[in-house]
Amino acid sequence: MKHKVSSTTSAVANEIAALRQATPADLKERWRALYCTEPPRRISRDLLVRALAYRIQEKALGGLKPSTRRLLAKVAAAASAHRPMRVAPQPTLKPGTVLLREWHGTQHQVIVREDGIVFRGKSYKSLSEVAYRITPAPSGRGRASSD
């Protein structure tokens, strides 16, 4: 059973939809064709269908960006070594940056420092903490501080 992965989105959608009606033998054969390996022995049907659907889309529409692949490889290596890994985006604000924001007629100034944020002379770890101090709570009770 030879399969050709189509490059059109509708053909890919049809190919993926057909996986749901395929027999276990057909799914395993499809795995061999797409991955050039034997399917895992104890894989559930649901996971098999999902993996095949991903591979079909990957071949037709392209895979992950190289930067994403590198990040995933780093995370996998850290997990294998039982090392914690922080996967947070790098901050884009440089120390010394001054941010101004007006909220309900009051202008607020925030200064970005190497070790965090300064607002009204007090240090905070993140802009979210400062926003929490400025904006009202969802329940309508204000949180604005008079620091």
Side-chain angles (χ1 to χ4, degrees), residues 4 54 90 135-136:
K4 181 180 177 203
Y54 176 83
Q90 294 297 318
T135 60

Side-chain angles (χ1 to χ4, degrees), residues 48-131:
L48 187 61
V49 168
R50 288 171 187 253
L52 290 170
Y54 176 83
R55 187 65 162 196
I56 290 166
Q57 291 175 79
E58 180 182 44
K59 285 190 172 274
L61 308 172
L64 297 173
K65 296 187 299 184
S67 60
T68 304
R69 285 186 178 277
R70 284 191 301 274
L71 176 62
L72 289 173
K74 279 175 64 176
V75 170
S80 293
H82 301 292
R83 290 188 320 259
M85 178 164 181
R86 193 165 173 217
V87 188
Q90 294 297 318
T92 55
L93 297 173
K94 294 181 180 176
T97 301
V98 177
L99 303 171
L100 298 173
R101 176 68 189 249
E102 187 172 319
W103 177 259
H104 289 285
T106 303
Q107 190 175 63
H108 300 280
Q109 179 178 318
V110 172
I111 302 169
V112 179
R113 299 282 163 94
E114 286 281 344
D115 58 342
I117 307 294
V118 176
F119 173 64
R120 294 184 182 165
K122 190 174 177 185
S123 292
Y124 294 88
K125 292 179 184 175
S126 70
L127 287 172
S128 297
E129 285 185 271
V130 174

